Amino acid sequence: MNLLGPTSNTFISQRLRLHYVDWGNAEKPPLLLIHGGRDHCRSWDWTAEALREDWHVIALDHRGHGDSEWASDGNYRIMDMVYDVAQLIHQLALAPVTIVAHSMGAAVALRYAGLFPEDVRKLVAIEGIFPTPDWEARMRAVPFARRIRDYIAEKRKAAGRLPRRYPTIDAAIARMKAQNPYINDAQARHLTIHGINRNEDGTFTWKFDPYVHIEHPYDIGQDRKHELWEAITSPTLLLNGADSWAGNPVRDGRIQHFRSAEAMEFENAGHWLHHDQFERFVATLRDFL
């Protein structure tokens, strides 16, 4: 890419200093890009570059990710991230805003759109409708006390775990490519360079807090999630990769909880379909937005 990059900015949410980038053109309609778990705002650079002439593009780093601060208690609840998004939109006066979000970020965006339907113009949720019905059934089969005990054990284990260190950037890039075999070398390098910190000894570690791996046991119930999805009034596009674990919301029935949602599945794409099939993704975005 030949980029004139974005400006780096911060805002405060629940006493955390959170980071976002702004691609300029403040006179254009606002477009908020929200990344998924263990990712960062610069993973949207290709999308931002493609749309920046027609939109005022802003991309957020979630708490514990990218250049945002880590939560001191190591807890990363979806509803706290919903608050962070609400705070950013409020502070920057972005509403009504168009949102494009991926995975965990899409789960956050869907809840925000249900809570503040008047503040969302259009919504694109990439691989964000979860858990799948099968996954939900497996979770319900685990007794509540056992889930809490497992969570406590995982938190305790994480407290003694040191972040993995990579001796070279190339080693970190290899790990990135192993995570998603669809991405090419240039994509993997870009995602890695913006996703790592260099340590004093010259090694590299990922920017995200290792605690983001741990799923918090306290969340709103599935009925409440459905209630929020049903409250969304903006046109909504649900995108999924055919080779992803996240399932297809049309085939498994989850789309029935949306008033005006359209679903589309991308062939030869996994969970990161916006990287895996970028040209088709951007064309789809332009048509929808």
Side-chain angles (χ1 to χ4, degrees):
M1 289 183 298
N2 294 315
L3 285 177
L4 176 61
T7 60
S8 181
N9 306 268
T10 60
F11 72 106
I12 303 297
S13 180
Q14 299 182 91
R15 298 184 175 179
L16 289 178
R17 185 175 296 278
L18 304 183
H19 176 255
Y20 67 95
V21 293
D22 188 324
W23 289 84
N25 278 346
E27 71 282 358
K28 298 292 186 179
L31 175 63
L32 179 60
L33 306 177
I34 308 176
H35 69 77
R38 294 178 291 166
D39 210 335
H40 52 81
C41 67
R42 300 302 300 272
S43 69
W44 291 111
D45 281 2
W46 295 278
T47 303
E49 183 185 36
L51 302 178
R52 64 185 301 184
E53 297 301 322
D54 299 315
W55 296 87
H56 177 201
V57 181
I58 291 170
L60 164 73
D61 271 332
H62 284 297
R63 56 176 57 211
H65 294 75
D67 294 316
S68 287
E69 286 188 331
W70 294 4
S72 61
D73 60 3
N75 290 325
Y76 293 94
R77 293 173 287 261
I78 294 291
M79 291 309 296
D80 285 328
M81 297 180 183
V82 173
Y83 182 96
D84 297 338
V85 168
Q87 185 73 344
L88 177 64
I89 291 172
H90 172 73
Q91 287 198 13
L92 300 186
L94 299 178
V97 63
T98 298
I99 301 176
V100 179
H102 174 238
S103 192
M104 179 186 74
V108 170
L110 288 165
R111 296 187 192 191
Y112 176 84
L115 288 167
F116 301 97
E118 70 281 4
D119 289 342
V120 179
R121 179 181 166 272
K122 287 189 177 183
L123 172 61
V124 179
I126 307 166
E127 295 267 309
I129 316 294
F130 54 77
T132 63
D134 289 345
W135 187 0
E136 176 70 15
R138 289 195 298 271
M139 290 169 60
R140 289 180 185 235
V142 179
F144 178 72
R146 179 180 159 190
R147 292 208 310 269
I148 301 301
R149 287 168 62 94
D150 289 346
Y151 169 75
I152 290 172
E154 284 299 311
K155 285 270 289 192
R156 186 175 294 137
K157 188 188 303 181
R161 188 184 301 130
L162 295 176
R164 182 173 177 181
R165 297 189 173 216
Y166 296 86
T168 64
I169 289 179
D170 286 341
I173 292 171
R175 179 68 183 93
M176 176 69 71
K177 291 196 70 174
Q179 187 73 12
N180 181 11
Y182 281 105
I183 58 175
N184 60 43
D185 291 344
Q187 288 174 315
R189 177 168 290 276
H190 183 83
L191 293 169
T192 300
I193 286 173
H194 289 286
I196 56 174
N197 285 321
R198 190 161 200 169
N199 303 305
E200 188 173 357
D201 65 356
T203 61
F204 299 88
T205 54
W206 300 113
K207 288 181 176 180
F208 62 80
D209 185 346
Y211 278 77
V212 303
H213 286 284
I214 304 171
E215 184 176 350
H216 202 281
Y218 303 120
D219 191 19
I220 61 175
Q222 193 73 337
D223 289 345
R224 289 287 181 255
K225 293 177 192 174
H226 294 166
E227 182 181 323
L228 291 178
W229 297 349
E230 290 162 1
I232 297 171
T233 58
S234 62
T236 302
L237 180 62
L238 308 176
L239 301 181
N240 285 84
D243 301 326
S244 171
W245 49 265
N248 183 299
V250 175
R251 288 196 290 269
D252 62 30
R254 285 173 291 168
I255 198 170
Q256 68 183 334
H257 299 292
F258 294 85
R259 295 189 195 184
S260 57
E262 174 189 357
M264 187 178 299
E265 185 174 84
F266 281 35
E267 295 293 332
N268 300 314
H271 187 57
W272 291 270
L273 65 88
H274 52 306
H275 297 325
D276 304 344
Q277 294 291 335
F278 175 71
E279 297 299 334
R280 182 186 174 192
F281 169 70
V282 167
T284 300
L285 270 191
R286 291 188 191 278
D287 288 344
F288 178 74
L289 300 182

